[in-house]
Amino acid sequence: MISEEVKKMLLQDEDGNIFVSSEDVANLNVNNNLNHALLVLSKVGYTSIPVLDNDSRIRGLISMPMIINAIMGLDAIKFDELETMRVEDVMDKNVPIIDATCDLEDILHHVIDHSYLCLVDNEGYFKGIVTRKEILSRVNHLVHELHNHYRLVENLPSKIN
Amino acid sequence: MISEEVKKMLLQDEDGNIFVSSEDVANLNVNNNLNHALLVLSKVGYTSIPVLDNDSRIRGLISMPMIINAIMGLDAIKFDELETMRVEDVMDKNVPIIDATCDLEDILHHVIDHSYLCLVDNEGYFKGIVTRKEILSRVNHLVHELHNHYRLVENLPSKIN
């Protein structure tokens, strides 16, 4: 459990929302070919980006290593397959998803293993992401400001009667 | 400033060192060609890895987007250039470096903008990395355990006499 005081300080919204809106997140469609995916990924400069279906539901994540691995032959990279293979064929379907009911504990736990978490509404539509960068920025604020707001008094071990 | 109590909890070494030793970090040499770099990056699955010179001094970082951008023509990706271009030609020389004198404040500040920081000794030799993942794992421990160790007593505004 995270104490209310710590939660309050981590969720303080001085510089905007903890989530980046889906409108500001680059994404790919399940039907895009890998050549297009490679171009988009190289342009945005992120490790991986969300993959959506035609209804804007989240279906997976795709990264450059996934693409290069998919076209790797025994002794050479088969670049001609970039045109024929689709994003859906190589994406990772194991997406770290959170929804509006998700609390800070879950977010902090999941960002240990993922660069970002995908926020969906209750019908599975992609609404945005929360990034490690944003979490770390808030943690930085917390650890610097905590002692300005609170005095830490050590808990004494309970007496055994 | 970070309080001593918070620092102590973040630096507690229950599950090992805060740094990953250089022996356990994949790296590339400045003279490797981009084809080799692409293979190594796809194998390790990380966004970027450190680039060392022949003396194991850190010289840069290289990522798949840097490689793909470097071989991007006007309307197609020129894959034949992977064999002729070297890692040194495309790597990012702006490496987030820390040394043994670096304190937790600097680390927490720098991991907001970088997936990992490179640790060097005082002669510039690469010794290891500290990752966002490790920092977030410790933060998770901190925010869950803080109230088990300390009672947070709100600071009252100072009286004006």
Side-chain angles (χ1 to χ4, degrees):
Chain A
M1 214 196 71
I2 302 175
S3 75
E4 286 308 313
E5 295 89 343
V6 166
K7 207 174 275 185
K8 195 175 137 198
M9 289 191 72
L10 280 174
L11 290 175
Q12 255 177 3
D13 236 358
E14 289 177 358
D15 304 322
N17 203 288
I18 194 169
F19 293 102
V20 181
S21 164
S22 57
E23 292 158 26
D24 299 319
V25 180
N27 65 68
L28 283 161
N29 181 282
V30 284
N31 295 311
N32 290 139
N33 70 27
L34 294 191
N35 198 46
H36 178 72
L38 206 53
L39 290 171
V40 172
L41 277 162
S42 82
K43 214 168 198 172
V44 297
Y46 297 127
T47 325
S48 85
I49 57 177
V51 180
L52 308 182
D53 62 18
N54 294 336
D55 296 323
S56 294
R57 284 197 177 89
I58 184 110
R59 294 295 184 208
L61 300 180
I62 191 159
S63 69
M64 279 203 191
M66 287 174 209
I67 296 175
I68 301 298
N69 274 322
I71 60 169
M72 191 85 74
L74 277 179
D75 52 3
I77 305 176
K78 296 183 276 181
F79 292 109
D80 51 318
E81 293 191 354
L82 287 175
E83 288 291 341
T84 53
M85 291 182 81
R86 291 183 319 142
V87 165
E88 193 168 29
D89 304 328
V90 306
M91 68 186 189
D92 182 1
K93 291 174 184 159
N94 188 16
V95 187
I97 279 179
I98 50 173
D99 61 26
T101 68
C102 189
D103 69 9
L104 189 62
E105 308 233 15
D106 297 320
I107 294 177
L108 276 172
H109 178 71
H110 290 307
V111 289
I112 295 177
D113 290 318
H114 302 279
S115 306
Y116 59 93
L117 313 176
C118 295
L119 176 71
V120 297
D121 66 14
N122 52 18
E123 288 173 321
Y125 293 108
F126 178 55
K127 303 311 280 180
I129 58 171
V130 55
T131 65
R132 276 183 176 164
K133 184 186 169 82
E134 181 65 31
I135 298 295
L136 281 164
S137 167
R138 285 161 187 263
V139 163
N140 211 33
H141 172 79
L142 167 75
V143 298
H144 279 86
E145 289 296 322
L146 189 68
H147 63 290
N148 289 334
H149 292 77
Y150 300 100
R151 196 159 43 88
L152 302 189
V153 182
E154 197 155 4
N155 288 336
L156 296 173
S158 313
K159 271 185 194 165
I160 299 168
N161 290 317
Chain B
M1 211 194 73
I2 302 176
S3 76
E4 285 308 313
E5 294 89 344
V6 167
K7 207 174 274 183
K8 195 176 137 197
M9 290 191 71
L10 280 175
L11 290 175
Q12 255 178 2
D13 234 357
E14 289 176 359
D15 303 322
N17 203 289
I18 194 168
F19 293 102
V20 180
S21 164
S22 57
E23 292 159 24
D24 299 318
V25 180
N27 65 68
L28 284 161
N29 181 283
V30 282
N31 295 312
N32 290 139
N33 69 27
L34 294 192
N35 197 47
H36 178 73
L38 206 52
L39 290 172
V40 172
L41 277 162
S42 82
K43 215 167 196 171
V44 298
Y46 296 126
T47 323
S48 86
I49 57 177
V51 179
L52 309 182
D53 63 19
N54 294 335
D55 296 323
S56 293
R57 284 197 175 88
I58 183 110
R59 294 295 184 209
L61 301 180
I62 192 160
S63 69
M64 279 203 192
M66 287 175 209
I67 295 174
I68 301 297
N69 274 323
I71 60 170
M72 191 84 73
L74 277 180
D75 52 4
I77 304 176
K78 296 183 277 183
F79 291 109
D80 51 315
E81 293 192 352
L82 286 175
E83 287 292 341
T84 53
M85 291 183 80
R86 292 183 320 142
V87 165
E88 193 169 30
D89 305 328
V90 307
M91 69 187 187
D92 182 2
K93 291 173 185 160
N94 188 17
V95 186
I97 279 180
I98 52 173
D99 61 27
T101 68
C102 189
D103 69 11
L104 189 62
E105 309 233 13
D106 297 321
I107 294 178
L108 276 172
H109 178 71
H110 290 306
V111 288
I112 296 177
D113 290 317
H114 303 278
S115 307
Y116 60 92
L117 313 176
C118 295
L119 176 71
V120 298
D121 66 13
N122 53 16
E123 287 174 322
Y125 293 109
F126 178 55
K127 304 309 279 181
I129 58 171
V130 56
T131 64
R132 277 182 175 166
K133 184 186 168 83
E134 180 65 32
I135 297 295
L136 280 165
S137 167
R138 285 161 187 265
V139 164
N140 210 33
H141 172 78
L142 167 74
V143 296
H144 280 86
E145 289 296 321
L146 188 67
H147 64 287
N148 290 334
H149 292 76
Y150 300 101
R151 194 157 45 86
L152 303 188
V153 181
E154 196 156 5
N155 288 334
L156 296 174
S158 312
K159 272 187 194 162
I160 299 167
N161 291 314

